[in-house]
Amino acid sequence: MKLFEFKHAAILLTLLLCLGSKNSHAAAETRSLEAYTTCAVYHRMLAGAYRRERQAPELADLETERMQDFIDNAKNAGLQTLSAAATEHKFLQAWLHDLQLMESQINGNYKNIARLRINYGTRCSALQG
């Protein structure tokens, strides 16, 4: 291998290692109390939309189950670094913040729920899977 090719290969390997490290760090960040709480609120909003439509109670129940799974994951993530009381406090703060933000994004109208699907659907699906 020529010196020129070796340098390019070394640079490429370094970049790949840095990106891999950054992606694994990003994955760890997405599994935080805050990230799980955001998705719990998102699924709560979906459940609310389905309940208001009264056309899909089974979908509302499914979204409520997903919400509860995200709540459990949020609290478990919090307990990794915080006490139970601190975890509960941080969870409630994050919940209220996200609920206000999402209600603002749909202008308080559940008929605008598609906005939340655009903003949170992919992220929460990835966090769930």
Side-chain angles (χ1 to χ4, degrees), residues 50-105:
Y50 288 131
R51 284 200 194 332
R52 288 182 192 275
E53 291 174 11
R54 298 177 193 246
Q55 297 173 357
E58 62 282 346
L59 291 177
D61 292 343
L62 179 63
E63 293 300 336
T64 300
E65 288 175 24
R66 288 180 180 154
M67 176 193 72
Q68 190 57 54
D69 288 342
F70 277 107
I71 290 171
D72 294 343
N73 288 335
K75 291 181 178 183
N76 287 334
L79 290 171
Q80 299 300 313
T81 57
L82 303 169
S83 69
T87 294
E88 189 65 25
H89 178 74
K90 192 171 183 178
F91 170 78
L92 290 175
Q93 283 183 320
W95 182 277
L96 289 174
H97 172 267
D98 288 336
L99 184 60
Q100 290 173 343
L101 179 65
M102 289 185 201
E103 285 180 347
S104 170
Q105 289 173 356

Side-chain angles (χ1 to χ4, degrees), residues 26-42 70 73-74 77 94 98 102 120 123-124 127:
E29 284 180 6
T30 61
R31 305 232 178 254
S32 66
L33 179 144
E34 293 85 0
Y36 283 121
T37 303
T38 297
C39 291
V41 174
Y42 166 69
F70 277 107
N73 288 335
D98 288 336
M102 289 185 201
Y120 303 99
R123 179 183 349 164
C124 292
L127 191 57

